[in-house]
Amino acid sequence: MDLIHTLLFGNAHWGGGVAHSIMVLALVIALGIMLGKITVKGVSLGVTGILFVGIASSHFGITMHPELLHFVKELGLILFVFSIGLQVGPGFFSSFKKGGATLNGLAVLIVLLGVATTVAIHLITGTSITTMVGVMSGAVTNTPGLGAAQQAFSDINNGANAPEIASGYAVAYPLGVIGAILVMMLLKPLLKINIAQEEKKGKGDDNEKDTATRHVSVEVNNVAVDGFSVGEFHKIATQPFVISRIKHKGSNDQEMVNAETILHVGDIVNIVASPKDVTALVTMLGNETQMDWYATSGNMISRRLIITKSELNGRQLSSLHIRNTCNVTITRINRAGIDFVASGNVKLQMGDRVTVVGSEIDVAQAERLFGNSPKRLDHPNLIPIFVGIALGVLLGSISFNLPGVPQPVKLGLAGGPLIVAILIGCYGPKYKLVTYTTISANLMLREIGISLFMAGVGLGAGETFVPTIINGGYMWVGYGAAITIIPLLIAGIVGYKLLKVNFLTLLGVMSGSSTNPPALAFANQQTDTDLTAVGYATVYPLAMFMRVLCAQLLILIFA
């Protein structure tokens, strides 16, 4: 019994040492995850259960040495935000293209309205800005924002902590999850939404179109292109496309296509292109027709191969001369679950899945070129992770001045690693840096990081949590509800009525701008399409970045 008491409560020697710290952390995280899995009417605390168990543990005297606690919390935060950055990095800048600009503009509006609501409550009620930033982070279920606020407060107060930030977060978090779902439920009758009609309209949404490829068989009957080579046709067609196979007029066999293949009237070709480009390409060649390429394929097969050779990472597809070296055609590339046309200027990345067409012997040769060894991807590339973390800490430690901000601004241990991870994820392959991690590896890194961070925050806030709530902290629930509901309600009406955003896409945007996975889960239940997921993925990276930055700026400006 004395041993267990020492491991849980420590002893006179600064809390019992390493064994005591590991024991407390392990129990808080394990019990917190169990608590987070309890579901009430479809809503659960998730990883935030660790925060509440940590608060309870600290309240009853089970805690850790402050310096160890601080280290665990910051390490967890870095691992968490870095893994998020690696995940969203490849699509971060492309999310601003075309319709993504409108969706991201709407996400920025939601973030800024939340900040404005937070500041208004601070000025009207006199509640400290540190508390309100914690409430704001909880209201939008944004843990990196919580970490950024704590880091900013510590920087300007010589390492001091502000437990009210964590307390505000913990109080506002549950209603933050529920509030976003309530707004979605309210907007449906308020805007008189018909889900079936929205799904029908969504089929023509460019945002959805850009995330897929389409195969179409075309009979060449445009005499203007008769006698053109495929290479010449590529020069006059501005759209990216691939002609994978051709069946010449009068022949029963299909052939592989290269730049020298000549097109004749009566030929039938198989085109792979983005859905929005198909109509234009068909018009230029002739007319769409029906053709079962597999029934007449002869010895030709189509197979997906995985790029697992590190020397191909960052290589431009055209530089491989795949048609000459392997006698196969690459029709499309799948990256992070999204298909796109295999244009020559595409830079390959580890983990890409390329669809090749050719004879079985030639496809086997292409397989040797690309690697196609999934086991290689199971081995994590740790060098980019730790080098990236080091660069992120360095970037986060650099001070710079912003107009109107009395204190120098730092990106901190949340913002610095997040930005470096986004840049590495986006541009790393261009500089031969292998940034690929499996989904399971990334998720493991993220979950360990957020678990350590939540446990650290809870253990540090527990002593003051209950007295704070008793002495008026219950009002923070209402403040958090206002920060959750007001921005989403306004943005929902503006997005649907003024910007004409599809309602299902809008639900994804609202979930992504609130960085709220439970809200996304609810939105996905409203439809069988992927419109909500597309909206969420489009705005999530920018919304996450802005949440982190705004939390810091509020502390630096008002604290």
Side-chain angles (χ1 to χ4, degrees):
M1 290 300 295
D2 289 340
L3 175 61
I4 295 176
H5 185 276
T6 300
L7 287 174
L8 289 178
F9 294 94
N11 55 31
H13 182 60
W14 63 271
V18 174
H20 162 73
S21 299
I22 293 176
M23 183 80 168
V24 171
L25 271 177
L27 287 176
V28 167
I29 292 172
L31 293 174
I33 293 174
M34 293 179 195
L35 176 63
K37 289 184 176 181
I38 299 175
T39 301
V40 179
K41 295 185 177 180
V43 178
S44 63
L45 290 173
V47 73
T48 313
I50 300 173
L51 174 65
F52 287 99
V53 171
I55 288 174
S57 172
S58 179
H59 177 72
F60 290 106
I62 304 175
T63 185
M64 296 168 54
H65 188 274
E67 291 185 5
L68 278 178
L69 192 62
H70 180 73
F71 173 77
V72 166
K73 183 175 67 175
E74 300 301 342
L75 176 62
L77 177 64
I78 290 172
L79 294 177
F80 176 59
V81 298
F82 194 84
S83 62
I84 288 178
L86 283 181
Q87 180 193 22
V88 304
F92 183 77
F93 295 104
S94 62
S95 68
F96 298 100
K97 297 178 180 178
K98 299 179 182 178
T102 300
L103 300 185
N104 276 289
L106 194 58
V108 169
L109 175 64
I110 293 173
V111 174
L112 294 181
L113 284 173
V115 171
T117 305
T118 301
V119 173
I121 295 173
H122 161 65
L123 296 176
I124 293 171
T125 66
T127 306
S128 70
I129 195 64
T130 50
T131 297
M132 286 309 307
V133 171
V135 171
M136 180 185 74
S137 298
V140 296
T141 65
N142 189 263
T143 306
L146 168 65
Q150 291 187 319
Q151 180 68 38
F153 184 88
S154 177
D155 287 343
I156 63 176
N157 289 279
N158 298 318
N161 291 320
E164 64 270 22
I165 298 179
S167 297
Y169 177 93
V171 170
Y173 185 94
L175 197 59
V177 174
I178 299 171
I181 296 174
L182 291 176
V183 172
M184 294 178 184
M185 296 173 64
L186 178 62
L187 283 174
K188 187 176 177 181
L190 184 64
L191 299 175
K192 300 178 180 178
I193 299 298
N194 184 305
I195 296 296
Q197 291 181 0
E198 295 299 315
E199 290 178 337
K200 187 176 180 181
K201 287 191 296 183
K203 291 180 180 179
D205 194 322
D206 282 343
N207 292 320
E208 186 180 28
K209 283 182 178 180
D210 287 342
T211 63
T213 57
R214 181 183 164 197
H215 290 256
V216 60
S217 298
V218 181
E219 182 178 0
V220 180
N221 58 24
N222 182 1
V223 294
V225 300
D226 187 50
F228 273 43
S229 69
V230 171
E232 291 171 331
F233 183 67
H234 264 285
K235 293 178 181 178
I236 64 173
T238 58
Q239 301 85 355
F241 69 93
V242 173
I243 298 180
S244 62
R245 315 184 194 194
I246 186 170
K247 188 177 82 69
H248 290 294
K249 183 179 180 180
S251 172
N252 292 324
D253 298 324
Q254 55 180 277
E255 300 177 6
M256 295 291 297
V257 174
N258 57 35
E260 287 73 38
T261 301
I262 304 299
L263 301 174
H264 295 290
V265 171
D267 292 346
I268 299 177
V269 296
N270 184 36
I271 291 182
V272 182
S274 173
K276 62 185 176 62
D277 296 328
V278 164
T279 301
L281 291 168
V282 170
T283 302
M284 294 176 69
L285 285 172
N287 59 276
E288 187 173 349
T289 186
Q290 297 298 319
M291 176 72 181
D292 188 352
W293 294 97
Y294 294 99
T296 61
S297 62
N299 67 338
M300 293 177 63
I301 61 173
S302 175
R303 184 175 297 167
R304 274 198 168 180
L305 306 177
I306 306 174
I307 296 178
T308 58
K309 287 190 175 180
S310 58
E311 57 265 29
L312 297 182
N313 191 61
R315 285 281 299 273
Q316 199 169 47
L317 181 58
S318 59
S319 70
L320 300 180
H321 304 291
I322 192 71
R323 184 67 179 85
N324 295 328
T325 56
C326 298
N327 196 34
V328 297
T329 298
I330 299 179
T331 59
R332 62 190 185 276
I333 298 173
N334 182 282
R335 181 176 298 163
I338 297 175
D339 279 337
F340 54 91
V341 179
S343 302
N345 60 354
V346 171
K347 291 193 174 181
L348 300 173
Q349 296 183 16
M350 285 279 286
D352 284 352
R353 286 167 168 78
V354 296
T355 301
V356 299
V357 177
S359 68
E360 190 159 355
I361 294 176
D362 294 333
V363 168
Q365 185 176 350
E367 185 174 5
R368 289 191 292 272
L369 172 66
F370 291 126
N372 197 39
S373 176
K375 288 185 177 180
R376 289 189 183 180
L377 298 180
D378 292 337
H379 185 74
N381 297 290
L382 296 180
I383 293 177
I385 292 176
F386 285 103
V387 170
I389 288 174
L391 293 175
V393 171
L394 179 62
L395 177 63
S397 302
I398 298 173
S399 300
F400 55 93
N401 294 307
L402 290 178
V405 180
Q407 295 284 343
V409 177
K410 289 182 181 179
L411 293 171
L413 295 181
L418 177 63
I419 291 177
V420 169
I422 289 174
L423 294 176
I424 287 177
C426 185
Y427 297 111
K430 294 183 180 180
Y431 299 98
K432 313 300 182 184
L433 187 65
V434 178
T435 60
Y436 177 83
T437 57
T438 62
I439 295 176
S440 59
N442 184 282
L443 187 60
M444 174 65 79
L445 186 67
R446 188 191 319 174
E447 291 300 308
I448 289 176
I450 190 61
S451 296
L452 291 174
F453 175 74
M454 283 294 193
V457 171
L459 289 168
E463 293 181 5
T464 61
F465 183 78
V466 173
T468 300
I469 298 301
I470 294 174
N471 295 321
Y474 53 85
M475 294 294 295
W476 302 349
V477 176
Y479 300 159
I483 296 170
T484 300
I485 294 172
I486 293 174
L488 292 180
L489 199 58
I490 294 174
I493 296 172
V494 169
Y496 189 76
K497 291 292 187 181
L498 298 182
L499 302 180
K500 307 300 181 183
V501 177
N502 184 282
F503 182 73
L504 297 174
T505 303
L506 184 61
L507 294 183
V509 171
M510 293 166 66
S511 303
S513 59
S514 299
T515 60
N516 193 330
L520 175 65
F522 173 81
N524 282 334
Q525 293 173 1
Q526 311 306 305
T527 177
D528 293 328
T529 71
D530 63 349
L531 288 169
T532 53
V534 169
Y536 184 92
T538 300
V539 304
Y540 181 86
L542 179 62
M544 177 65 74
F545 176 74
M546 286 202 64
R547 294 288 183 194
V548 170
L549 183 62
C550 288
Q552 291 185 87
L553 288 177
L554 285 177
I555 294 292
L556 295 172
I557 293 172
F558 292 96

